[in-house]
Amino acid sequence: MDHKTTTLQLKQYKCCVVIPTYNNPKTLAKVLDGVLKFTDDIIVVNDGSSDSTSEILARYPQIITINKAKNTGKGSALKIGFKHAVSLGFEYAITLDSDGQHFPKDIPQFATALNTSENKNILIIGDRNMNEADVFAQSAKGNRVSTFWMYAATGLRLRDSQSGFRLYPIKSMDDIRFMTATKKFEFEIEAIVKSYWSGIEIIHVPIDVLYDPVERVSHFRPFMDIARMVVLYTWFLLVRLFYITPGHLFRKLKSKGFKRFFIEDFLRHQDSPKKKALSIALGVFLGLSPLWGFHTVIVLFLAILFRLNKVIAFAFSNISLPPFIPFVLLISLQVGHWVLGIESNYTIDDIRENFDMVQHLKSYLIGSITLSTVSALVFGIIGYIIFKVLDRKKTPSNG
């Protein structure tokens, strides 16, 4: 695509370019010169640079420069840049780093993807092809870890969750409340997660990337920044488990009614009998396992991770509801004593009144794991048979 076509498309969709920069004097001018070939709607956020960045920016009077007195991080710089862009009437913003790893020549990829997409409410991420591109092994590994946790926290499968070369629908995102604490690289994670949760489509376009050890200056701090990302992912995972997923199921239950919900989402879900049986086995195993207080979190997390039926897994994990706990403890203890060859004469009243867990911890743990494993197998097999029969009844006869 020629430069003129890209320029027209960026104007048509009211798209600017936002570039956060902090102490990148070796590469900043080259990046700006590359972007100016496509558009002069550029907003540079100088994030408290202490070098010659201000002098370099002074040579570009055609671009908008926002100078911050103090360095606070890429996330806060992007937020400031987006807010200013929206105030100027822009609806989209392409972001790229000023350290030279991104090539401005890839801007047409984003313009074309936006132009050809039926859904204009999209966030486009540049895919750096981390498994094959000439990148640092640490960066590739970090991206794989981040992509895994992105899937765990949202169910969204991405190829590159850390690329900073993106097109944001900043007008649509203006209503999203972002955390004030996400001031650094973790904001780019928050932007994906909250955009996805608010209904914005996330897609990829291929881009080239360059990691030049001579010119590139990275401000990514492996320990601190990864720690901040892990904390954020953990928070999003908890939000998904306790708010997003239950809320989604509740809305479906409310809109369909119990009977239709039970038939469509529980018994006759599009999942295969095998997947539903595995969901039952997972729920029973965790419900009877010695993980008191964490059953719900773990069962939903694993059901999401392994793409099992969340409704079924959650329902069967409640096999250890509070009224049933004494019976589960008693059976686990009896099984544990049987495995260890210890005589046991405990009754349900003993469990309810004066049961000493510490004294019988070994027997309980062995019995609990044995009971949960065997029960999961039994319930899973029975469930598979039942769902297989139901599926055959649903399938119309060819005769």
Side-chain angles (χ1 to χ4, degrees):
M1 179 184 295
D2 59 68
H3 291 46
K4 185 177 180 181
T5 301
T6 299
T7 300
L8 291 173
Q9 288 178 343
L10 295 177
K11 289 287 186 184
Q12 176 187 352
Y13 293 108
K14 300 179 181 178
C15 181
C16 66
V17 175
V18 174
I19 304 174
T21 187
Y22 173 63
N23 289 352
N24 288 122
K26 294 181 180 180
T27 53
L28 177 58
K30 182 169 62 176
V31 172
L32 292 175
D33 291 338
V35 176
L36 283 168
K37 293 178 181 178
F38 299 100
T39 181
D40 56 4
D41 292 325
I42 305 173
I43 299 173
V44 176
V45 182
N46 181 8
D47 190 23
S49 297
S50 56
D51 54 13
S52 59
T53 295
S54 296
E55 288 77 7
I56 295 171
L57 293 174
R59 302 202 300 262
Y60 296 88
Q62 68 272 52
I63 69 175
I64 298 171
T65 299
I66 300 174
N67 292 299
K68 294 173 58 184
K70 182 181 178 182
N71 173 256
T72 55
K74 184 180 183 181
S76 63
L78 286 173
K79 292 175 189 177
I80 291 171
F82 292 167
K83 185 176 181 179
H84 189 68
V86 171
S87 72
L88 295 176
F90 291 105
E91 298 182 5
Y92 297 90
I94 292 175
T95 64
L96 70 161
D97 296 344
S98 64
D99 61 5
Q101 70 162 295
H102 301 142
F103 294 95
K105 69 178 180 62
D106 285 326
I107 288 177
Q109 301 274 55
F110 296 88
T112 300
L114 176 61
N115 186 55
T116 57
S117 175
E118 292 185 9
N119 180 13
K120 303 302 181 187
N121 193 28
I122 56 176
L123 192 162
I124 307 172
I125 303 174
D127 177 13
R128 297 169 291 177
N129 193 15
M130 297 292 280
N131 292 327
E132 297 181 16
D134 183 17
V135 299
F136 294 132
Q138 185 178 11
S139 298
K141 184 178 180 180
N143 182 68
R144 287 194 293 270
V145 172
S146 176
T147 300
F148 167 80
W149 282 105
M150 178 65 70
Y151 172 69
T154 64
L156 181 63
R157 289 190 178 274
L158 297 176
R159 294 189 297 272
D160 192 342
S161 61
Q162 289 188 306
S163 173
F165 205 166
R166 304 178 180 183
L167 183 146
Y168 289 97
I170 54 174
K171 185 177 180 181
S172 298
M173 293 171 60
D174 199 38
D175 294 329
I176 299 175
R177 295 182 61 181
F178 294 106
M179 302 178 189
T180 56
T182 52
K183 297 179 179 180
K184 301 186 183 296
F185 293 95
E186 71 276 6
F187 167 72
E188 292 174 306
I189 293 172
E190 183 187 22
I192 296 176
V193 173
K194 290 192 174 178
S195 294
Y196 180 67
W197 283 348
S198 68
I200 295 173
E201 183 182 359
I202 315 292
I203 67 172
H204 281 299
V205 294
I207 61 169
D208 292 323
V209 64
L210 173 67
Y211 285 87
D212 189 335
V214 177
E215 289 191 339
R216 181 173 182 257
V217 178
S218 175
H219 301 289
F220 185 83
R221 302 166 301 169
F223 179 78
M224 288 302 300
D225 288 321
I226 289 176
R228 293 169 71 95
M229 290 179 184
V230 169
V231 170
L232 187 64
Y233 272 131
T234 302
W235 168 248
F236 283 141
L237 180 59
L238 293 174
V239 171
R240 184 185 187 193
L241 292 176
F242 288 105
Y243 180 72
I244 301 295
T245 299
H248 176 66
L249 294 176
F250 177 76
R251 286 190 294 273
K252 289 178 70 174
L253 174 62
K254 188 176 180 181
S255 64
K256 293 182 178 181
F258 178 79
K259 182 178 180 180
R260 183 182 165 197
F261 175 82
F262 182 78
I263 294 174
E264 293 183 1
D265 294 83
F266 191 87
L267 291 180
R268 296 181 181 176
H269 193 268
Q270 64 269 24
D271 291 336
S272 66
K274 179 181 177 182
K275 181 174 285 191
K276 285 187 259 191
L278 289 173
S279 303
I280 291 174
L282 174 66
V284 171
F285 177 80
L286 289 172
L288 294 176
S289 65
L291 298 169
W292 304 108
F294 300 97
H295 290 156
T296 299
V297 175
I298 298 174
V299 77
L300 287 177
F301 171 73
L302 292 177
I304 290 168
L305 181 63
F306 296 113
R307 306 186 77 174
L308 299 178
N309 188 305
K310 296 182 288 294
V311 177
I312 293 177
F314 173 74
F316 277 88
S317 71
N318 286 302
I319 194 171
S320 59
L321 282 171
F324 306 137
I325 289 177
F327 297 97
V328 173
L329 286 173
L330 177 62
I331 297 173
S332 298
L333 186 61
Q334 299 281 22
V335 171
H337 281 163
W338 175 75
V339 171
L340 295 172
I342 300 173
E343 184 178 350
S344 177
N345 55 1
Y346 276 92
T347 65
I348 192 66
D349 291 330
D350 294 326
I351 298 295
R352 286 173 173 163
E353 294 175 8
N354 57 2
F355 179 66
D356 188 346
M357 175 66 77
V358 176
Q359 182 181 351
H360 301 284
L361 184 60
K362 182 179 179 181
S363 295
Y364 165 69
L365 290 177
I366 292 175
S368 179
I369 293 172
T370 304
L371 175 65
S372 59
T373 302
V374 173
S375 298
L377 288 171
V378 171
F379 276 82
I381 292 170
I382 294 173
Y384 178 78
I385 294 171
I386 293 173
F387 286 124
K388 196 72 175 176
V389 171
L390 290 174
D391 266 17
R392 286 177 180 172
K393 288 183 177 180
K394 287 192 302 177
T395 304
S397 171
N398 292 326

